[in-house]
Amino acid sequence: MKKIYLSDVGILPGTDITLALYKLFKENPYDTEFVFENADYYFSPHEEMRFDYRLSNSDIVPWRVLAVCMKKMKNCILRGNGARLFLEGQMQVFTIDECENITLCDFTVNWKKPLVAEGKVSACADRYLDVCIDGRVFPHRFCDGVLEFDTGADEWYRANRGLIAFDENMCVRRSTGDFFVTKVHELEKDLYRFETNYPCGIRVGDLLNIRHNARIHAGVFAEKSTNTVVENITFHSCGGLGCLAQFCRDISFRGVNFLPDTSSGRHVSSGRDDGMHITCCSGKVTVSGCSFHALMDDPINIHGCCVTSNEVVDEYTLRCNYRHPQACGFKYWAEYGDEIAFIERGAMNRIGTAQALSYTLEDDNTFLLKFSSPIPDEILALARRGESLALDNLTNTAEFLCENNRFGSCRARGILVSTPKKVVIRNNYFESSGSAILVAGDSNYWFESGECRDVLICDNIFTSKCNSSEYEFCEGVISICPVVPKPELSKPYHKNISITRNVFDLSQKAALYGFSCQNLVFSENRIHKDPAFGRKNEDLFVLSFCSDVVLKNNEFVGFETNEPKMYATNCENIVK
């Protein structure tokens, strides 16, 4: 492997290196280590760096503006040596497209003008908050009742998304969650009155995370790549998803952090949306030694992409539809030989599989899917029925190992997982404001598919900050909550979930919520009752449409009895 020091080829710190680096990559696409200095490098938008990419769970736009672009490269390393990358405006930091054996390591990513803003509450009333926004840290302007933020590159974005309040400990304010601004008044320079729909529970001195702009770019975007390693990279700001991998095989995130840049006066803002989003990947996904704080969505979400069909073209072919507006138009949803599952959307049960022959994208919302053998009559009947048939690509599903991470206080859940392959979540620390772990999956709402069939959750610490605020699907600290419109006990969606040797410090919600699951084990856990917060109910376990459940050998500290209180409906064979 040859080694290229950027300074030796005229790519110098303190300058805009966007186009020069792209040219260097095209000239050296194989077997090369690119070495940065421990210094500052700058990236800005260029017409030549606009490319059409369809990013999962992101806004649909004609192009993405790239900073570091690696396309069809093989056996290459980007070694940062602590380099600080500064971007301007909406840009995608790293793009890894159809690559093999790529390693990114030892960088800090930031914006001089951040892509998320903050404000400090100076006064509260029933329907308004007075908020101070430091214009030196978060450049902004107010005109004709509109508050806009400057992100550089002559881009201004209106504060038009939900706000989240953080308390003096830099944790999401208990019992608050999302709230919205209906009107803004300028009281004096950098001081504004926010009329809101729900300021309850917010206090003077709280810090507000103020989202603006759009979900356009990722911090790391990897597509159709194999064996990618992202290591020792800290993101202080991001304009959309943090790390997005789609249609990739074998990807590892080690020592990747999403943290506020406190040295610049930012305390409760790191990323605008999710930290790591893994869509339709295969092989093994590993997340280890990472830290997440002040993200405005889930730190980790791993899932597939369900589509639906209500049109039979012929006995081999279905016309299929992408259903979520932020997940559509993919170039690689299916390829020759992929195993495709057919799903009845009521009970969400898999009713058969078939092998894909070809995939033809017609537009962003529809595609033709042809199979190598005739489609069974039962499947054709469901497709003709209207809204009854969903499809999932089983080939594009991955194992997931998540260990030794710190899930600090962020908006919403800690981990969302929806994959039929083996899942291990161990030795992590959670203070998620919603559920620490959501075992999700659906083909009816978010269309983030994937029934779980082998999950081990062990040796984790769940603090009393978990589930302290209200978000969807957060019924327990661990919430098994797929979207199943017509559940049937005989057709469980999830199977074989084991939760063992964990420590729970409970405040209000149940330790475990289980829905549409078979072979669920909760054993050898220690559950503490946090005396600082009154529990809304004493049910530690809430179960619905679950069978073959084991709740044994757990220790309960601070409760009146060592016998767990449970609420169960439509369940069978529960062993306590």
Side-chain angles (χ1 to χ4, degrees):
M1 177 178 286
K2 64 184 176 183
K3 185 177 291 189
I4 297 177
Y5 292 88
L6 268 57
S7 58
D8 289 348
V9 293
I11 301 177
L12 303 177
T15 64
D16 181 347
I17 69 170
T18 312
L19 296 180
L21 191 63
Y22 183 49
K23 180 173 181 292
L24 182 66
F25 289 162
K26 290 200 292 185
E27 293 170 349
N28 301 274
Y30 309 122
D31 305 308
T32 306
E33 180 178 350
F34 303 89
V35 184
F36 292 68
E37 296 180 36
N38 185 349
D40 297 346
Y41 295 86
Y42 293 88
F43 297 84
S44 62
H46 293 271
E47 290 286 338
E48 300 94 321
M49 301 301 289
R50 293 181 173 184
F51 295 92
D52 175 19
Y53 284 106
R54 319 294 171 85
L55 271 63
S56 170
N57 295 78
S58 299
D59 294 340
I60 304 301
V61 295
W63 59 74
R64 316 286 169 172
V65 182
L66 310 188
V68 180
C69 179
M70 307 180 74
K71 184 173 178 61
K72 294 187 177 180
M73 298 177 69
K74 185 176 181 179
N75 302 327
C76 291
I77 300 171
L78 265 64
R79 191 170 302 282
N81 289 312
R84 295 164 295 279
L85 310 184
F86 288 95
L87 290 86
E88 183 179 9
Q90 267 279 7
M91 295 187 73
Q92 190 152 281
V93 189
F94 299 99
T95 299
I96 304 168
D97 179 12
E98 294 188 270
C99 293
E100 185 178 342
N101 300 330
I102 299 297
T103 296
L104 313 176
C105 60
D106 303 326
F107 293 96
T108 297
V109 175
N110 210 341
W111 273 254
K112 294 287 187 180
K113 297 179 177 179
L115 300 178
V116 179
E118 298 178 19
K120 188 171 186 177
V121 177
S122 61
C124 298
D126 287 343
R127 289 293 174 182
Y128 71 81
L129 303 170
D130 290 348
V131 180
C132 180
I133 302 172
D134 189 337
R136 296 168 299 176
V137 182
F138 307 102
H140 61 274
R141 66 188 179 191
F142 184 81
C143 183
D144 296 329
V146 176
L147 179 61
E148 293 182 318
F149 291 89
D150 179 12
T151 61
D154 297 321
E155 297 174 5
W156 293 81
Y157 292 96
R158 183 176 182 176
N160 60 355
R161 298 300 300 263
L163 280 68
I164 294 288
F166 286 75
D167 63 21
E168 65 278 4
N169 297 313
M170 306 305 163
C171 294
V172 172
R173 170 65 68 185
R174 185 173 293 273
S175 302
T176 54
D178 295 335
F179 69 97
F180 297 86
V181 175
T182 56
K183 196 170 184 180
V184 180
H185 308 272
E186 185 176 33
L187 303 180
E188 57 184 72
K189 179 177 172 55
D190 289 351
L191 182 62
Y192 303 92
R193 176 158 292 174
F194 288 179
E195 293 185 18
T196 74
N197 65 328
Y198 186 75
C200 301
I202 298 170
R203 301 177 185 176
V204 171
D206 283 356
L207 293 175
L208 303 183
N209 183 298
I210 306 170
R211 280 194 290 175
H212 54 78
N213 71 75
R215 188 188 286 195
I216 297 174
H217 297 101
V220 175
F221 172 63
E223 180 174 67
K224 202 61 177 174
S225 295
T226 301
N227 194 24
T228 304
V229 176
V230 182
E231 188 171 22
N232 296 333
I233 297 181
T234 294
F235 291 88
H236 286 313
S237 193
C238 198
L241 300 174
C243 298
L244 169 62
Q246 60 187 42
F247 307 103
C248 292
R249 182 174 183 83
D250 296 329
I251 184 164
S252 296
F253 301 97
R254 300 196 291 258
V256 178
N257 305 308
F258 291 89
L259 302 170
D261 182 7
T262 55
S263 65
S264 297
R266 311 172 203 165
H267 300 283
V268 295
S269 57
S270 57
R272 181 188 179 279
D273 298 293
D274 293 12
M276 296 173 181
H277 212 103
I278 313 298
T279 302
C280 299
C281 289
S282 60
K284 187 172 184 177
V285 175
T286 301
V287 181
S288 64
C290 300
S291 187
F292 309 89
H293 181 229
L295 286 167
M296 286 300 98
D297 219 330
D298 315 302
I300 299 176
N301 190 350
I302 177 168
H303 62 86
C305 175
C306 249
V307 300
T308 63
S309 176
N310 60 5
E311 184 176 346
V312 177
V313 177
D314 56 45
E315 63 175 334
Y316 290 88
T317 311
L318 297 174
R319 177 168 279 111
C320 301
N321 305 284
Y322 290 111
R323 297 300 299 272
H324 194 277
Q326 289 184 325
C328 60
F330 294 126
K331 299 176 183 178
Y332 307 107
W333 189 89
E335 294 183 302
Y336 173 80
D338 285 357
E339 183 183 11
I340 307 300
F342 300 107
I343 301 166
E344 190 279 310
R345 294 177 65 196
M348 284 272 287
N349 61 305
R350 190 191 301 179
I351 54 177
T353 63
Q355 194 174 71
L357 182 65
S358 65
Y359 165 85
T360 306
L361 187 65
E362 295 185 311
D363 55 46
D364 281 348
N365 298 312
T366 61
F367 62 87
L368 295 179
L369 188 60
K370 190 170 186 176
F371 296 92
S372 57
S373 58
I375 302 167
D377 290 341
E378 178 188 11
I379 308 301
L380 297 176
L382 275 178
R384 294 188 178 103
R385 192 179 299 170
E387 289 292 313
S388 300
L389 179 65
L391 299 90
D392 191 14
N393 189 322
L394 297 181
T395 299
N396 291 334
T397 57
E399 291 186 38
F400 179 46
L401 172 62
C402 178
E403 62 181 359
N404 303 322
N405 304 292
R406 186 184 192 279
F407 294 87
S409 191
C410 301
R411 176 188 174 276
R413 287 89 16 179
I415 301 171
L416 274 71
V417 59
S418 307
T419 176
K421 301 292 175 60
K422 184 178 181 179
V423 173
V424 177
I425 301 171
R426 66 188 177 203
N427 295 322
N428 302 286
Y429 177 91
F430 291 89
E431 52 183 32
S432 317
S433 60
S435 291
I437 299 171
L438 169 59
V439 183
D442 78 89
S443 60
N444 293 281
Y445 187 62
W446 287 101
F447 295 89
E448 294 181 0
S449 61
E451 76 273 37
C452 291
R453 298 191 168 197
D454 182 3
V455 178
L456 173 62
I457 300 170
C458 65
D459 303 308
N460 302 285
I461 296 175
F462 302 101
T463 71
S464 63
K465 295 180 176 66
C466 294
N467 243 1
S468 59
S469 296
E470 299 295 329
Y471 307 99
E472 62 183 354
F473 311 127
C474 295
E475 305 301 324
V477 173
I478 297 176
S479 186
I480 302 168
C481 196
V483 180
V484 182
K486 299 177 181 179
E488 297 181 28
L489 188 61
S490 62
K491 298 176 181 178
Y493 185 65
H494 293 305
K495 300 179 180 70
N496 306 322
I497 299 176
S498 179
I499 303 163
T500 185
R501 303 192 308 274
N502 302 282
V503 177
F504 294 79
D505 196 10
L506 285 188
S507 57
Q508 296 175 341
K509 291 288 187 73
L512 171 66
Y513 174 83
F515 174 62
S516 192
C517 184
Q518 184 181 43
N519 294 334
L520 172 60
V521 176
F522 189 98
S523 67
E524 300 180 50
N525 301 287
R526 188 165 75 248
I527 304 173
H528 296 261
K529 180 179 180 180
D530 189 331
F533 306 102
R535 288 178 50 74
K536 294 180 178 178
N537 65 68
E538 292 290 330
D539 293 318
L540 301 187
F541 309 108
V542 179
L543 304 174
S544 179
F545 290 94
C546 291
S547 61
D548 302 323
V549 179
V550 176
L551 308 171
K552 293 182 68 175
N553 301 324
N554 299 291
E555 182 181 357
F556 301 89
V557 181
F559 295 88
E560 294 179 0
T561 174
N562 203 43
E563 183 68 22
K565 292 190 176 181
M566 176 182 66
Y567 178 79
T569 58
N570 298 300
C571 296
E572 67 179 16
N573 195 20
I574 298 176
V575 179
K576 294 170 61 175

